Amino acid sequence: MLSRALGPVRLASSLRGVGGRQPLSLRSNALRSISTTPSQLAPASSRTYATSAHEDAFEEESESSTPTKPSTSAAPSVNTTFPEQTVTPTVEPLTGTSFNDWSKSYHGLSTQPFSSECAEILQAPVDPNDIEMKPDGLIYLPEIKYRRILNKAFGPGGWGLAPRSETNVGPKVVSREYALVCLGRLVGIARGEQEYFDPSGIPTATEACKSNALMRCCKDLGIASELWDPRFIREFKSKHCIEVFVEHLPTKKKRKLWRRKDAKFDYPYKE
C-alpha cells in the first residue's frame, strides 16, 4: 500500500529531474496525481506512456525557447563607382598662317584673282529697280543688297568685316575703319561714318557706320560700281527720277526734293 501511494511522488520527482525544471502543466498533473486515491491510479503501462509523452512535450518546448542565431547572410554590396566627369579640352588659339590679326594684317591682298564664277556675280550690272534715291538727289544701293551679292559669290560665312580701329565718337559723327575679308584674304579697307543727333542714337549710328564701310569696301570688288560713275548717275536720274516741290506740313515750308518716278512722298511731306 505504501509503495502504491509513493508512486506518484516518485513520478513527480522523476519529471522534476528532467531538465531541472517543470512546465506549469506538468506540475499541475503531478499534484493532481498525488491527491488521487490508490484505487483510481492508472496501471503502470499507462503511467510509462504518459511519462514519455510529457518528456516529448518538454523537449519541443525547450527547442522552441532556444534563441535563434542571427543570419549570417552576405552584407549588401556597396557601389564604389563614381560618375564620369566630362573634361572640356582647352582650345588653343590658331598660330602661324592660319590666324591673322586683321586689325593689322594685309594677308592675301592681291595674291590671286577670285574664280570666274565669283567675278561674274560680283561684277554683274546692278538692277535699276534695286537703286534707291535720297531726297537730296543721292542714289544708293541698300546695304542688304551688298550682303546678298557677297553671300551669293562666297557663300554665307565666306566673308566678313573686321574692325581695324576703335570707334571714334565725335560731337555729331561716328566713324570706324573696317577691313573686308573674303575666303581668308584681305580685299579692301574703308572707314565708315554716320551722323547722329542725340547721344541715345549712338548705338544705331555705330551699326550704320559698319554698313557704310561695307558699301565702300565693295567698290574694290566691283559691286554696284555704276553708282560711283557720274555718267551713269546722270542717266539714271533723268530716266528714273524727278525733282518736285513739296510742302513740309508741320512748318508749312516748301522746297524741292528728289524722288523716283514710281514713288511718292509720305508724311510729313506733301506734293
Side-chain angles (χ1 to χ4, degrees):
M1 294 294 290
L2 182 59
S3 60
R4 290 184 180 181
L6 295 178
V9 177
R10 286 195 298 268
L11 176 59
S13 300
S14 61
L15 292 178
R16 189 181 295 111
V18 180
R21 65 183 182 89
Q22 291 182 3
L24 181 60
S25 59
L26 296 181
R27 291 197 300 270
S28 300
N29 293 335
L31 294 175
R32 190 181 299 113
S33 61
I34 294 174
S35 61
T36 306
T37 58
S39 60
Q40 297 176 344
L41 293 175
S45 60
S46 299
R47 292 196 300 270
T48 304
Y49 174 79
T51 303
S52 60
H54 287 303
E55 291 177 353
D56 294 338
F58 179 77
E59 291 177 358
E60 291 178 1
E61 183 180 358
S62 300
E63 291 177 358
S64 61
S65 61
T66 304
T68 58
K69 296 182 179 180
S71 60
T72 58
S73 58
S77 60
V78 180
N79 185 13
T80 57
T81 59
F82 298 94
E84 297 182 358
Q85 297 181 354
T86 303
V87 179
T88 304
T90 56
V91 180
E92 297 182 357
L94 298 177
T95 57
T97 58
S98 60
F99 173 78
N100 295 283
D101 183 5
W102 293 113
S103 64
K104 302 176 182 179
S105 175
Y106 291 87
H107 174 75
L109 183 64
S110 71
T111 54
Q112 61 180 357
F114 291 109
S115 64
S116 57
E117 292 81 1
C118 290
E120 184 178 355
I121 296 172
L122 297 173
Q123 297 177 351
V126 63
D127 186 355
N129 293 325
D130 292 338
I131 300 175
E132 299 291 341
M133 169 167 273
K134 293 183 178 182
D136 59 359
L138 180 65
I139 63 174
Y140 68 98
L141 190 68
E143 58 90 15
I144 190 61
K145 303 291 184 179
Y146 290 93
R147 296 179 185 274
R148 289 175 180 172
I149 294 173
L150 291 172
N151 285 333
K152 187 176 181 180
F154 304 110
W159 65 275
L161 279 177
R164 293 182 68 92
S165 69
E166 298 295 332
T167 302
N168 182 15
V169 181
K172 295 182 179 181
V173 178
V174 174
S175 66
R176 192 175 191 180
E177 190 177 76
Y178 287 90
L180 177 60
V181 181
C182 299
L183 301 181
R185 296 162 48 188
L186 180 68
V187 172
I189 300 174
R191 177 172 287 273
E193 59 183 357
Q194 178 63 39
E195 295 181 352
Y196 70 95
F197 303 97
D198 188 84
S200 61
I202 292 179
T204 303
T206 302
E207 185 66 20
C209 170
K210 179 180 177 181
S211 299
N212 183 249
L214 174 65
M215 292 188 292
R216 292 179 176 181
C217 287
C218 285
K219 288 189 296 183
D220 295 340
L221 292 175
I223 300 176
S225 59
E226 300 93 328
L227 301 183
W228 280 268
D229 186 348
R231 182 179 295 276
F232 177 86
I233 294 173
R234 289 193 298 267
E235 292 178 356
F236 180 83
K237 291 176 71 172
S238 62
K239 185 177 181 180
H240 298 281
C241 304
I242 187 174
E243 190 177 22
V244 297
F245 276 100
V246 296
E247 179 183 0
H248 189 258
L249 297 177
T251 61
K252 304 299 181 180
K253 293 182 178 180
K254 294 184 178 181
R255 57 187 301 188
K256 291 185 71 175
L257 297 177
W258 285 91
R259 65 169 175 82
R260 286 182 58 110
K261 291 180 179 180
D262 56 358
K264 294 292 183 180
F265 282 106
D266 297 327
Y267 183 84
Y269 294 104
K270 180 181 178 181
E271 294 186 24

